[in-house]
Amino acid sequence: MREAGVTGADLELTADGQRLRFPAVWLRDNCPCTECQDPGSGQKLNGINDIPNGLAITLTEDAGESVAVTFAPDGHRSAFSRSWLAGHALDGYADGDGRTEDDKELWPAADLANVPQVSWPRYLDRPTDRIRALADVLLRRGFVLLRDVPAEPGMVLEVAASFGFVRETNYGRLFDVRVEPEPGNLAFTSRAILPHTDNPYRDPAPTVQLLHCLRTAVKGDGPAGTGGGSPPCAEKVGGGGDTGLVDGFAAAAALRATDAESFDTLARTPVPFGYIDKETELRASLPLIQLSPRGRVRGVRFNNRSARPLRLPYAEVTAFYAAYRRWAELLARPERQLNLRLAPGDCLVFDNTRVLHARTAFGVTTGSPGRHLQGCYADLDGLASTLAVLSRSGNHGRKENS
Amino acid sequence: MREAGVTGADLELTADGQRLRFPAVWLRDNCPCTECQDPGSGQKLNGINDIPNGLAITLTEDAGESVAVTFAPDGHRSAFSRSWLAGHALDGYADGDGRTEDDKELWPAADLANVPQVSWPRYLDRPTDRIRALADVLLRRGFVLLRDVPAEPGMVLEVAASFGFVRETNYGRLFDVRVEPEPGNLAFTSRAILPHTDNPYRDPAPTVQLLHCLRTAVKGDGPAGTGGGSPPCAEKVGGGGDTGLVDGFAAAAALRATDAESFDTLARTPVPFGYIDKETELRASLPLIQLSPRGRVRGVRFNNRSARPLRLPYAEVTAFYAAYRRWAELLARPERQLNLRLAPGDCLVFDNTRVLHARTAFGVTTGSPGRHLQGCYADLDGLASTLAVLSRSGNHGRKENS
């Protein structure tokens, strides 16, 4: 870094050949002094209206690793470390919380030769394995397969608690995915389920889903899985109930590249979803593709079962259905779907804002116990927090002063 | 209703002098027959791509209370009740799940002579009182004051469980709002807190907040409340710790009416929020005003304490700060703030996507027990579900077949 200069309304300096420029109001709003920020919590002590209007910089003092700035009209003085300023350069920045397509590794299934997986005992024992597993769900592929989780009821809650907080819903803190005599949801039958996200009829919908396999559908129980390719985690072939995963962000990017009009239609049309049973009546109306303020893909919702009657202006209905059909065709392409067979002890953890999941039909034999998964929901924000804390070097409290 | 007609791609009929028109694909996607919808769950059995492309209506049969439609190319036949069709008319429809400003009763504080309130024993005993209380939170004013909730630790969780599911966070299933020796958040001090929404550093942020008063700051403890007006629920004046509420949707509508450019800037600029302590590192970046796909106000986020350094393109920073200042000034106007003093046993339940809350500073006397609230979070979707089920006439299972 070289010398700092005064330009009245801005602070300008050069770091590593890069010119940095910060408006006075931005600097003042981020002043780290103890009048402006609580030293304990790092929280701001002032509202924006406690800062004088029409701020200007009257003096800039260069003090090696830091820069001190004096403001008019009130003479307040703020000191910033140069490295902090360089780390908060204003330009070239997108949405900023790791939740859009820009921070993901998008995958068409064919590229995913190896399913990201971590053994549960190693996940528990080794922070590096835990970081890798959580980063896979959050930032890279949108899912991870935890192996060797004891195939015992309730363990899925322990997995969720290892990185976040369980989101309780009308299905309970955990739910059993198996054939029920009077299913309130087709998930609790032996039917095939098309690629979908869960709970689109909730707002906020749960952002993380876990599915833990206690028992597979065994060979001889019924139809074999229809998913293409060789299930990488199969222990037995036949019986059905294979799991399919689709990267909704990769699919959305592909739709935008080939049919921008359909993409725009899906991003701006609220689609109603609903779920109704004796104790529950949920309803939410949001687009199938959700964009960040900068227009980047930040979420997908897709669930044929719980879509409710669209109530659009008449003139928009036909265009919506054309876009919806294109989108559904794209999501259903076999080459986009990663197929795997969960074995007892496997626990799939995935980003429910991004990754669609499906299953093939499976057979049921009277008297045999049948396929049994347990699931629960959690949220990405808690997962990201756990990952950030684990990733702190040395874990010495706060990472930054703002 | 009168006769139905055939127009090839559309069904047209007239009801109560109103012309209704439905595209063939819309009708087919909502066919209620047992091949298309599961009679148990009401869920759709087909994906959009199971419906033939290029659908046309070849025959419309009028059968009194219902209309039967036959489709080309596959000859599928669907019957719809006329009342269902009239109830799902396509035009004149907005976002559709009750979450935007269009479904709210907006209030400047001056109009709210009476704080919406319900006694907890009546809420428990009488469904009509419960419906009124929940509708106030969800649809009308964005908050309700429950009185006579036993001032016992943990009761706030029972209140939350009466309408939904507790959202656990890093603060626990419930949190104590009182002066702490080493506060990780300024909420846990005796400082004044400006109007804000909670947990803007979460995505999804909790959409309902509860605050249950166990003990007030007593007179003689310290500074009196600075909020204007006469607190309607005050039992003692003095001591401070008064609660203020601001309708963020009403304020956003006022901003749009007077300064559309600032409104647009706030709606499209992602603002980073964060919270950091030893075990937690949360971060979310979303606009201060969130719009529905139709451009209607659907949420506000505002919290000076946890705002983190903006990282915008340089050219946008100054305009953002001008809009941010206007918005903060508008939210801080005394006439927009409803002031009340929670008494022991009062439990405030409010929509955290809409209503900002604040408190005045309060005093602490060594050796005296001091102000103590307990809070927890829940979500609007579960609250809406509870309200919908309670509102069913006779509560005979499902309300509609789609």
Side-chain angles (χ1 to χ4, degrees), chain A residues 10 21-23 25-26 29-30 38 41-53 84 87-91 93 95-97 99 165 167-170 183-186 191 194 202-205 207 268 270 275-287 293-294 298 304-305 307-314 316-318 321 324-325 328-329 379 381-382 384-385 388-389 392 395 397-400 402, chain B residues 10 21-23 25-26 29-30 38 41-53 84 87-91 93 95-97 99 165 167-170 183-186 191 194 202-205 207 268 270 275-287 293-294 298 304-305 307-314 316-318 321 324-325 328-329 379 381-382 384-385 388-389 392 395 397-400 402:
Chain A
D10 289 346
R21 193 156 56 134
F22 298 97
V25 64
W26 184 97
D29 189 34
N30 294 299
D38 179 58
S41 64
Q43 292 189 315
K44 285 183 185 167
L45 297 170
N46 300 312
I48 187 67
N49 296 325
D50 297 317
I51 297 177
N53 219 335
W84 187 90
H88 291 80
L90 291 175
D91 285 316
Y93 186 71
D95 289 286
D97 59 4
R99 295 281 279 268
F165 301 101
R167 178 94 78 88
E168 189 173 357
T169 70
N170 55 302
N185 190 312
L186 295 174
R191 283 178 181 273
L194 294 173
R202 286 193 172 277
D203 180 26
T207 51
R268 71 168 179 255
Y275 176 82
I276 303 185
D277 66 22
K278 277 182 192 157
E279 289 87 31
T280 307
E281 189 165 329
L282 290 160
R283 193 171 293 271
S285 193
L286 288 164
R294 299 290 184 205
R298 201 178 203 272
N304 68 298
R305 284 169 292 147
R308 297 288 163 184
L310 270 175
R311 301 189 66 189
L312 291 177
Y314 172 84
E316 297 177 27
V317 172
T318 305
Y321 269 102
Y324 182 33
R325 189 181 283 276
E329 280 167 4
D379 282 302
D381 49 11
S385 172
V389 172
R392 288 176 189 166
N395 201 8
R398 207 156 279 116
K399 262 182 107 181
E400 54 177 45
S402 60
Chain B
D10 288 347
R21 194 157 56 134
F22 299 98
V25 64
W26 184 97
D29 189 34
N30 293 299
D38 178 56
S41 64
Q43 292 189 315
K44 285 183 185 167
L45 297 171
N46 301 312
I48 186 67
N49 295 324
D50 297 317
I51 297 177
N53 219 333
W84 187 89
H88 291 79
L90 292 177
D91 286 317
Y93 186 72
D95 290 286
D97 58 5
R99 295 280 279 268
F165 301 101
R167 179 94 78 88
E168 189 172 358
T169 71
N170 55 302
N185 191 311
L186 295 173
R191 281 177 181 273
L194 295 173
R202 285 194 172 275
D203 180 25
T207 52
R268 69 166 181 258
Y275 176 82
I276 302 185
D277 67 21
K278 275 182 194 157
E279 289 87 32
T280 307
E281 189 166 329
L282 289 159
R283 193 171 291 271
S285 192
L286 287 163
R294 298 293 184 205
R298 200 176 202 274
N304 68 298
R305 284 170 292 147
R308 296 288 163 184
L310 269 175
R311 301 189 65 189
L312 291 177
Y314 172 83
E316 296 177 28
V317 173
T318 305
Y321 269 101
Y324 181 35
R325 188 180 283 276
E329 280 167 3
D379 282 301
D381 50 10
S385 173
V389 171
R392 286 175 189 168
N395 200 8
R398 209 156 277 115
K399 262 182 108 180
E400 53 176 43
S402 63

Side-chain angles (χ1 to χ4, degrees), chain B residues 4 15 26 30 35 45 48 83 95 108 111 126 149 171 183 211 235 249 276 290-291 330 342 349 369 386-387:
Chain B
W26 184 97
N30 293 299
E35 281 174 40
L45 297 171
I48 186 67
S83 63
D95 290 286
D111 289 352
R126 304 181 15 157
V149 179
Y171 302 113
L211 285 172
E235 294 198 337
F249 282 14
I276 302 185
Q290 293 180 284
L291 303 182
L330 206 148
L342 296 179
V349 184
T386 301
L387 179 59

Side-chain angles (χ1 to χ4, degrees), chain B residues 103-107 131-143 247 354:
Chain B
D103 290 303
K104 312 297 181 189
E105 180 185 314
L106 305 187
W107 48 270
I131 287 170
R132 186 162 59 84
L134 298 180
D136 270 329
V137 179
L138 191 73
L139 293 175
R140 287 197 288 267
R141 283 95 156 218
F143 73 103
D247 183 352
R354 172 184 170 193

Side-chain angles (χ1 to χ4, degrees), chain B residues 180-344:
Chain B
E180 289 185 0
E182 291 183 30
N185 191 311
L186 295 173
F188 311 138
T189 68
S190 62
R191 281 177 181 273
I193 303 276
L194 295 173
H196 67 284
T197 61
D198 261 31
N199 286 20
Y201 38 75
R202 285 194 172 275
D203 180 25
T207 52
V208 173
Q209 181 168 1
L210 296 88
L211 285 172
H212 179 217
C213 181
L214 298 182
R215 211 165 45 225
T216 44
V218 295
K219 195 166 183 170
D221 267 359
T226 53
S230 173
C233 309
E235 294 198 337
K236 298 179 183 187
V237 176
D242 292 357
T243 298
L245 299 175
V246 177
D247 183 352
F249 282 14
L255 180 69
R256 182 178 50 207
T258 55
D259 184 353
E261 197 177 330
S262 288
F263 178 90
D264 290 343
T265 297
L266 297 174
R268 69 166 181 258
T269 306
V271 174
F273 292 96
Y275 176 82
I276 302 185
D277 67 21
K278 275 182 194 157
E279 289 87 32
T280 307
E281 189 166 329
L282 289 159
R283 193 171 291 271
S285 192
L286 287 163
L288 298 186
I289 297 177
Q290 293 180 284
L291 303 182
S292 76
R294 298 293 184 205
R296 306 300 292 163
V297 176
R298 200 176 202 274
V300 296
R301 286 185 184 228
F302 194 85
N303 191 315
N304 68 298
R305 284 170 292 147
S306 53
R308 296 288 163 184
L310 269 175
R311 301 189 65 189
L312 291 177
Y314 172 83
E316 296 177 28
V317 173
T318 305
F320 171 81
Y321 269 101
Y324 181 35
R325 188 180 283 276
R326 293 290 290 273
W327 180 223
E329 280 167 3
L330 206 148
L331 289 169
R333 285 197 189 144
E335 68 270 23
R336 292 215 159 265
Q337 185 163 318
L338 178 78
N339 296 294
L340 50 91
R341 166 82 52 91
L342 296 179

Side-chain angles (χ1 to χ4, degrees), chain A residues 75-94:
Chain A
H76 189 84
R77 193 162 172 277
S78 306
F80 301 92
S81 83
R82 286 177 166 277
S83 64
W84 187 90
L85 288 171
H88 291 80
L90 291 175
D91 285 316
Y93 186 71

Side-chain angles (χ1 to χ4, degrees), chain A residues 241-253:
Chain A
D242 292 358
T243 297
L245 299 175
V246 177
D247 183 351
F249 282 14

